[in-house]
Amino acid sequence: MARFGLPALLCTLAVLCAALLAAEPKSKSCSEVRRLYVSKGFNKNDAPTHEINGDHLKICPQGYTCCSQEMEEKYSLQSKDDFKSVVSEQCNHLQAIFASRYKKFDEFFKELLENAEKSLNDMFVKTYGRLYMQNSELFKDLFGELKRYYVAGSVNLEEMLSDFWARLLERMFRLVNSQYHFTDEYLECVSKYTEQLKPFGDVPRKLKLQVTRAFVAARTFAQGLAVARDVVSKVSVVSPTAQCAEALLKMLYCSHCQGLVSVKPCYNYCSNIMRGCLANQGDLEFEWNNFIDAMLMVAERLEGPFNIESVMDPIDVKISDAIMNMQENSVQVSQKVFQGCGPPKPLPAGRISRSISEGAFSARFRPYHPEERPTTAAGTSLDRLVTDVKEKLKQAKKFWSSLPSSVCSDGRMAAGNGNEDDCWDGKGKSRYLFAVTGNGLANQGNNPEVQVDTSKPDILILRQIMALRVMTSKMKNAYNGNDVDFFDISDESSGEGSGSGCEYQQCPSELEHNATEPSGKSANDQAGSAGGFVRAQPSLLAAFCIVLLVMQRECR
C-alpha cells in the first residue's frame, strides 16, 4: 500500500485544488457599464470588460471595479457638464419668461407713444389746420422727451412738462393778442404768471401728476423685467468648486463603477449635494423675494391709478381742452398779464394778424370715455400684459430656494422622492440616512456631502444681490409715485429699450430721491426708511461693502 501512497496523495490534492477553484467567484462582467460609457462618446478601450482592482480610483469607492483611471477622469468631467446642463435648463426657462415679457412690454409702450403722437397730430391738423402746422414742433418735442425719458431716464418729467405749457402759453398768448408785438423779455414775464393765472385751467396740473406717475411706474416696471432677466442669465452659469465636482462624480457615476448602472442617486442625497453646490445661489432668495413683491406692487399701480394707457390715449383731448380753456379766458388772462407786465406795443395797422378769436380755435374734440380705450398698441392692452406678468412673477417667487429640489426632481439627476430604499447613497445601494441641510451659504457648515467654504461669498452673486436691492428700492419709490435720480442699473444688453445705461453691477449704490409729487416725507425720512431696509439684513452688510470696493476698482 505504501507503493500507492504518493499517487493517492497527488490525486487528493488535485481534487482539492479543483474544488477551491470552483469555489472562487468568477470576475464580474462590465459589459453594461462599458456599453453606457461608449454611448456617451468615450473610447471603449478605456473600459475593462471585467472587474479589476480599484486601487487607482481617487474619488469612487475602491475595491473591485468596472472603472479605469481614465473612466473616472472622464466621468468627472461628464458629471460637471450634466450638472451645468440641468441647472441651466431650470434657469433658462425663467430667464426666457422675463425676456419675452420685457420685450412685449417694451414694444407695447413704444407703440403706445407712437400711436398717441399720431392721433394728436391727425386730430390737431383737422381741428386747427395751419396754426397747428406752424407750431407742431412744440408737440413733437413733447413726445420726443417722453420717449427719451422711457429709453434713457435722463429727463426730469416735471420740468419738461412745465416747459411745454410755458412754451404753449407763449404761442397762444401771441395768437390771441396778434395785434400786439411781444419781445422775448415780455414773454418771459408772461410765463411767470402761468401758475397764478392758470390760463389752461386745471389740465396742466392733472396731466403732470398723471404723466409722471404713469411714466415712472411703466419705465421702472419694464426696467425691473430687464434686471430680472439679466440676473437669472448671469446666475445660471455655474462653475462647480473642486469639492462640488467630487461630490457630483460620486453621486452620478461612481455607482457605474460598481456595476449599478440602473440605480439612481437617492433624492435626499442629491438634495444635499445640490444645496452645497448651489449655496451661493441660495443667498439670492431674500432679495429676490423682496424684488418680486415690489414688482407685484407696481403692477397693481399699473392696473389702477398709474395706468399709462389711460393717460396717453386721451392726451390729445386733454391738451385740446387746455387750449380751448385758454381761448375762452383769453381776455381775462391778457388783462391780468398787461397789468403785471405792462401794456404791450401795438403792431402797425398793416401788420395786424388775424385774431385767433374769429374762429380758428372754435372746434372741440369729441368727449373721451375710458371704456373706449383702444387695444391697438402691440396688438394687446396694458391690462392684459400686466395680468400675465403678475402670474409669472408669483410663480417665480422662491425660485432660488427651490432650485436644488427642482434639479433633483429631474430624472437624470436622482431617483424619485418615493424611492428612498433602493437608491445610490454614495457608497452602495441603500437608504440615505442623513438629514437635508438648509439653503444658502451659512447653512453649509454641516453639509455631509459637500465641503463648502462659508467664509467666501461669491462676488458675482453679491453683484446680483446688489442689483436686486437697488431695483427693489426704485420699485418702491415708483409705487409711491416718486422717481429716483441715479444711473440706470440694467445691463448694456438691454439697451434696446427701457433701462439702458451703465452696467448694473457697476452703478453707484447711493440713490438720490427726486419726488414727482409731494410725498409728505422729508429727504431725511426717506433716507431713514431706506436705511431700515438695508438693516433688515445685517449678515449681508459686509458683503455689500465688498461689492462696493470691487465696483469702485472696476470703474477706475
Side-chain angles (χ1 to χ4, degrees):
M1 288 187 58
R3 223 174 22 172
F4 297 99
L6 183 58
L9 180 61
L10 290 176
C11 288
T12 302
L13 289 175
V15 171
L16 289 174
C17 287
L20 289 173
L21 288 173
E24 184 179 338
K26 293 182 178 179
S27 178
K28 290 183 180 179
S29 171
C30 295
S31 59
E32 185 62 17
V33 175
R34 189 179 191 189
R35 185 186 66 78
L36 290 175
Y37 180 77
V38 173
S39 70
K40 292 185 176 295
F42 298 133
N43 191 336
K44 67 178 181 180
N45 294 328
D46 296 339
T49 56
H50 290 80
E51 284 186 335
I52 58 175
N53 187 292
D55 291 344
H56 54 274
L57 297 179
K58 297 178 180 179
I59 308 299
C60 294
Q62 295 180 340
Y64 284 99
T65 180
C66 284
C67 287
S68 64
Q69 182 177 346
E70 291 79 10
M71 289 178 69
E72 186 182 46
E73 291 172 355
K74 290 178 181 178
Y75 272 149
S76 178
L77 296 174
Q78 184 65 46
S79 63
K80 288 190 287 186
D81 287 343
D82 292 348
F83 167 69
K84 291 178 181 179
S85 177
V86 175
V87 172
S88 179
E89 286 177 15
Q90 295 287 336
C91 293
N92 286 349
H93 176 68
L94 183 63
Q95 191 264 349
I97 289 175
F98 282 114
S100 63
R101 270 59 182 184
Y102 166 75
K103 183 178 180 182
K104 192 68 175 178
F105 196 96
D106 184 62
E107 177 186 333
F108 169 82
F109 188 87
K110 290 176 179 176
E111 193 168 322
L112 181 68
L113 284 175
E114 291 174 1
N115 288 351
E117 183 176 11
K118 184 179 184 300
S119 177
L120 183 142
N121 184 73
D122 292 345
M123 297 178 78
F124 274 40
V125 167
K126 293 177 182 178
T127 306
Y128 304 121
R130 184 174 57 85
L131 286 174
Y132 167 70
M133 298 299 292
Q134 291 172 344
N135 298 279
S136 61
E137 82 282 353
L138 180 65
F139 302 93
K140 185 176 181 180
D141 290 345
L142 170 65
F143 283 96
E145 288 296 282
L146 290 175
K147 291 175 185 176
R148 191 160 70 90
Y149 171 78
Y150 177 68
V151 172
S154 57
V155 176
N156 185 309
L157 290 175
E158 280 197 344
E159 291 181 2
M160 183 272 292
L161 289 169
S162 296
D163 181 63
F164 166 76
W165 291 112
R167 292 173 64 194
L168 183 59
L169 175 60
E170 290 180 8
R171 305 291 178 95
M172 288 290 300
F173 193 77
R174 277 180 168 172
L175 289 172
V176 300
N177 295 284
S178 56
Q179 68 273 32
Y180 297 106
H181 170 72
F182 299 103
T183 63
D184 291 340
E185 291 76 12
Y186 194 95
L187 291 175
E188 284 183 13
C189 179
V190 172
S191 64
K192 293 178 182 178
Y193 284 86
T194 304
E195 291 294 327
Q196 178 184 341
L197 299 177
K198 297 188 185 311
F200 299 110
D202 206 30
V203 173
R205 184 191 67 81
K206 289 183 177 179
L207 198 59
K208 180 188 294 185
L209 187 63
Q210 293 169 348
V211 167
T212 51
R213 283 177 162 183
F215 268 72
V216 169
R219 180 176 187 273
T220 305
F221 192 75
Q223 193 178 32
L225 293 173
V227 167
R229 173 200 64 193
D230 295 339
V231 167
V232 176
S233 177
K234 287 177 170 60
V235 175
S236 65
V237 182
V238 290
S239 298
T241 63
Q243 293 79 10
C244 170
E246 288 185 6
L248 290 170
L249 168 61
K250 194 174 178 183
M251 179 183 86
L252 293 173
Y253 290 107
C254 283
S255 57
H256 288 213
C257 296
Q258 294 191 14
L260 302 174
V261 294
S262 61
V263 179
K264 293 184 177 180
C266 300
Y267 182 84
N268 287 345
Y269 174 45
C270 172
S271 295
N272 270 334
I273 292 177
M274 289 305 118
R275 294 187 184 210
C277 291
L278 298 171
N280 287 290
Q281 282 77 1
D283 283 342
L284 282 167
E285 180 76 357
F286 181 82
E287 290 299 342
W288 178 261
N289 289 343
N290 283 341
F291 165 76
I292 295 294
D293 287 339
M295 287 283 286
L296 288 169
M297 288 168 57
V298 176
E300 290 179 2
R301 290 294 207 209
L302 289 174
E303 289 179 316
F306 297 178
N307 189 311
I308 194 168
E309 193 172 13
S310 64
V311 172
M312 293 307 298
D313 281 342
I315 196 169
D316 48 9
V317 179
K318 294 177 181 179
I319 294 176
S320 179
D321 285 344
I323 292 173
M324 295 302 174
N325 194 77
M326 168 65 185
Q327 181 192 4
E328 292 170 357
N329 298 291
S330 60
V331 176
Q332 298 92 318
V333 170
S334 298
Q335 287 176 351
K336 291 182 179 180
V337 170
F338 294 161
Q339 291 174 4
C341 300
K345 294 181 180 180
L347 284 172
R351 295 179 55 193
I352 294 178
S353 301
R354 182 181 178 184
S355 174
I356 195 71
S357 61
E358 292 179 3
F361 279 86
S362 61
R364 278 189 181 276
F365 289 157
R366 60 175 174 80
Y368 172 77
H369 301 288
E371 61 269 17
E372 296 176 10
R373 205 163 61 207
T375 59
T376 55
T380 185
S381 69
L382 184 64
D383 291 339
R384 294 193 193 102
L385 286 176
V386 173
T387 298
D388 172 66
V389 171
K390 281 173 61 178
E391 186 63 30
K392 300 304 180 185
L393 286 170
K394 291 174 184 177
Q395 294 173 5
K397 196 171 181 181
K398 298 184 179 179
F399 175 81
W400 302 108
S401 61
S402 62
L403 182 59
S405 299
S406 298
V407 171
C408 290
S409 296
D410 190 301
R412 293 169 292 179
M413 301 299 287
N417 230 336
N419 184 19
E420 284 296 302
D421 291 321
D422 298 321
C423 52
W424 173 253
D425 67 351
K427 297 178 181 178
K429 185 178 179 181
S430 180
R431 181 179 183 85
Y432 187 70
L433 301 177
F434 291 101
V436 178
T437 189
N439 278 298
L441 195 62
N443 289 318
Q444 303 312 309
N446 296 320
N447 191 314
E449 305 302 337
V450 186
Q451 184 179 353
V452 181
D453 187 349
T454 59
S455 66
K456 292 183 179 180
D458 186 89
I459 295 299
L460 174 66
I461 299 296
L462 291 179
R463 286 176 174 173
Q464 309 319 307
I465 290 173
M466 166 78 79
L468 292 170
R469 181 177 297 169
V470 172
M471 197 66 234
T472 300
S473 179
K474 188 175 182 184
M475 207 76 64
K476 290 180 177 180
N477 277 280
Y479 174 81
N480 292 320
N482 303 327
D483 200 358
V484 181
D485 184 18
F486 72 116
F487 291 110
D488 287 337
I489 63 175
S490 295
D491 196 357
E492 63 233 358
S493 62
S494 62
E496 63 194 31
S498 165
S500 58
C502 74
E503 185 174 356
Y504 62 79
Q505 291 95 331
Q506 299 180 358
C507 291
S509 61
E510 296 182 4
L511 308 181
E512 296 178 7
H513 297 260
N514 177 27
T516 57
E517 66 168 319
S519 62
K521 291 186 178 181
S522 65
N524 289 335
D525 291 336
Q526 293 178 354
S529 60
F533 180 72
V534 174
R535 284 194 296 273
Q537 280 198 98
S539 63
L540 288 173
L541 188 57
F544 186 79
C545 296
I546 293 172
V547 176
L548 288 179
L549 292 173
V550 172
M551 290 191 295
Q552 183 181 26
R553 188 162 60 247
E554 290 182 356
C555 288
R556 291 176 182 171

